[in-house]
Amino acid sequence: MPKILVSRKISDLAEEKLKNEFDVTLNLKDEPIPETELIKIINDYDGMISTGFDKIGENFFSNLNGKLKIIAQVGVGYDNISIKSAEQKKIKVTNTPNVLNEAVAETTILLILAASRRIGEAYNLVRSDNWKNQKPDLTKFMIGNSVTGKTLGIIGMGRIGRIAAKSAKAFGMKIIYYNRNKLSEELEDGAKYYSDLNSMLPDCDFVSIHTPATPDTKHILNASTLSLLPKHAVVINTSRGSTIDDDALLDALENKKIYAAGLDVFNNEPNLDKRYLKLDNCFVLPHIGSATHETRLAMSMMAVDNIHCFFNNKPLISKVI
Ligand code: DGY
């Protein structure tokens, strides 16, 4: 019976399903396994179910003894895994695309609304019981910017970007996008394409990042690109922290070069740059884009199904390599 390591707690049903077919080691403490520990134990296993918390880099792969055959990541992103090293060692890697599109799109809309309507400030005011000390001034008290009818620029019009666009249209938002390639008319669904990011940014009331973390997308929003946004613009990020240069975004927020930001992802999570926490115009979440019961179950099941397919010589459901 193949031995499978599950590096973090996944949904109960998925664990049960896995146990029916494999010799499974669960992470009962549900604490991230330190890299050195993972490297020590992994050579006992034929397969691994991983999450973005695991550091599966060159070190991990160079210490393998040949037993491990597949890593099934619970997550669409796999920037924690050295794909090049996995390829060299002929280890299959799978991820969980599509099942989280709607959840991440919901989070995108949540951030758009929260950042533009000053929800962080408003919520803190009520929770700290300071509402009663405020003058309810009709033109000043918690006045934000409307979302309805505004233009949303999407960087990376993939599966998640397109669902976010569809949801944003419910608020009458106009969609424009920057992508490596222009999409078919059907996939564009009325959105306007820009082949050049710098040309799109001045036209954005909101800009939302939906690209994977790659060397090409690192700091795609930096001092120079951020300077092209209008002063009332709002930056949204549900992708990966590495797409934003923190110093540049913090400067833009602190000096009111843009209106606000709504961020679910950060560089060096969970130890985000503390300067973000001081800003009223930055609404922050702890990387919960896909965190719904339904979505995490679907993601867990997909990883388990990939393991099942691999050890039963069936085509993988969602192969990275
Ligand atoms: C993903 O699937 O990559 C999300 O960020 C959740 O980790």
Side-chain angles (χ1 to χ4, degrees), residues 263-266 269 284-289:
L263 309 173
D264 182 44
V265 289
F266 298 88
E269 289 175 14
V284 289
L285 293 177
H287 198 149
I288 56 165

Side-chain angles (χ1 to χ4, degrees), residues 52 74-78 96 100 104 238-240 265 287 290 296 299:
V74 182
V76 66
Y78 45 83
T96 59
L100 44 62
V104 179
T238 53
S239 64
R240 284 293 184 267
V265 289
H287 198 149
S290 64
R296 288 286 159 84
M299 292 164 74

Side-chain angles (χ1 to χ4, degrees), residues 160-261:
I160 297 175
R162 295 200 295 275
I163 307 261
K166 198 170 150 202
S167 308
K169 283 188 198 163
F171 290 92
M173 294 188 95
K174 190 179 143 210
I175 311 298
I176 58 181
Y177 74 101
Y178 163 70
N179 204 42
R180 267 175 312 190
N181 305 109
K182 187 174 177 346
L183 302 181
S184 67
E185 251 177 56
E186 192 194 341
L187 290 182
E188 263 182 356
D189 197 18
K192 179 177 169 195
Y193 177 61
Y194 289 72
S195 57
D196 171 35
L197 178 63
N198 289 357
S199 315
M200 179 178 84
L201 292 171
D203 294 344
C204 295
D205 299 316
F206 293 80
V207 62
S208 184
I209 310 175
H210 296 280
T211 59
T214 66
D216 284 347
T217 62
K218 187 169 166 106
H219 293 182
I220 197 161
L221 288 187
N222 52 45
S224 135
T225 49
L226 284 167
S227 74
L228 300 170
L229 287 168
K231 235 181 145 185
H232 63 264
V234 177
V235 168
I236 304 296
N237 195 6
T238 53
S239 64
R240 284 293 184 267
S242 64
T243 57
I244 291 182
D245 176 346
D246 285 334
D247 284 335
L249 180 60
L250 283 157
D251 171 60
L253 289 166
E254 281 163 2
N255 297 302
K256 309 279 187 294
K257 295 177 183 170
I258 60 170
Y259 181 67

Side-chain angles (χ1 to χ4, degrees), residues 105-125:
E106 285 171 8
T107 307
T108 305
I109 300 298
L110 188 162
L111 291 172
I112 288 175
L113 293 170
S116 55
R117 297 297 302 274
R118 301 175 58 181
I119 298 305
E121 283 172 85
Y123 183 74
N124 288 339
L125 186 71

